[in-house]
Amino acid sequence: MHTNVIPINSSRLALLANYLDRCPAAEKFYSDLDFGWIGAEGSQARSDRKYVGPVGAKPWESRILAMTFSDASVFLSASAEAILAVSRLITDPALGEKGFVGIDACCRASIESAAKAYWIVDPSVTAHDRACRGLLEHLHSALQAERLAKAMGWGQPVNELGISEASSDLEAKLTELGVSITWNRDRTIPTLDGITRPSISSQITSLVHATPYSGDKRMVYNLMSASAHATLYGILRVYTPGEKTPAGESTLDRNLDHRIVESSVGVTLMSFLAALKRVVEVMGWNAWKVWTLENMAYRVIMEGPR
């Protein structure tokens, strides 16, 4: 084994798994306290729900902002589910043999979902802009569903197929709500009242900036995508130079370094907690649970190998 490789530390991964398991429990704790994600009295979320839309437009129903917060809830729940998958993978007995690509794929899925929730519940935006962010996610989803239907040769609209809202219906709804929509040249990127949905890599960069991994924020998505998309430089991170063959040819040995797994798990754990902490702030919920968990997780992460 290459002298620079740190072998997998199973007891260390079991400790990290314990903290990963606490994340879905914390998300459930808060959602159970406020099942409808209405927000505490005096919270930003509660205030946002009173917004009735832009001047001159048809008054908005409360369900517009309710849907926006519901979207954030769905994204956070999806992130928590992926975190549970990471926990199971890093404690699997076969980790020493095959414990890298699957972990990165689940970590990436968790961070992507958390980043969307983080973007939607940004405390610095107005109720109107928050609603536009949520509507942009719906419009993006509808466009992706329609692309799928076209590729599959399905003749029916996606709403009739039961897989998504139709983008045309959403456009009509936006007009009714008094929201201006513009498109790029090939009608793939909509802008609502000057707001454009950032790329997922930009959303992840913003989220990771709020974690102890801030200095690596521009690298996280690229590395996880590299392994998930079977890009050689990503996969070859777990290989080290081996013995030369009798013919003098170079070989590679698969030596999974504990630090590779630890870094993926650590950034996923802290990203989820950063997103949950922002949600708790905007909802006006008692922050003691997420603050305590974040502080404990931070100490555990800082004790890890470098």
Side-chain angles (χ1 to χ4, degrees), residues 34 37-47 280 282-286:
D34 186 0
W37 277 45
I38 296 171
E41 192 65 44
S43 68
Q44 188 172 355
R46 184 72 70 96
S47 175
V280 168
V282 172
M283 302 306 294
W285 298 330
N286 191 314

Side-chain angles (χ1 to χ4, degrees), residues 49-125:
R49 284 172 173 265
K50 299 175 183 177
Y51 179 65
V52 295
V55 176
K58 177 182 177 181
W60 288 14
E61 297 178 14
S62 60
R63 63 182 176 83
I64 301 298
L65 268 302
M67 180 179 69
T68 302
F69 285 109
S70 177
D71 293 338
S73 172
V74 168
F75 287 135
L76 194 65
S77 179
S79 177
E81 182 179 342
I83 271 190
L84 281 178
V86 176
S87 173
R88 301 301 180 268
L89 285 171
I90 66 173
T91 52
D92 187 275
L95 178 64
E97 293 296 324
K98 301 291 181 185
F100 165 59
V101 175
I103 291 170
D104 262 12
C106 290
C107 285
R108 178 184 173 212
S110 178
I111 295 175
E112 283 192 11
S113 293
K116 290 186 177 186
Y118 189 80
W119 181 62
I120 288 175
V121 299
D122 185 348
S124 70
V125 303

Side-chain angles (χ1 to χ4, degrees), residues 178-199:
V179 176
S180 170
I181 178 169
T182 57
W183 295 87
N184 63 336
R185 184 173 298 178
D186 56 0
R187 282 186 61 85
T188 56
I189 303 176
T191 298
L192 304 185
D193 283 351
I195 301 170
T196 302
R197 178 182 178 274
S199 67

Side-chain angles (χ1 to χ4, degrees), residues 12 26 28 44 113 168:
R12 172 76 185 167
K28 184 177 186 301
Q44 188 172 355
S113 293
S168 58

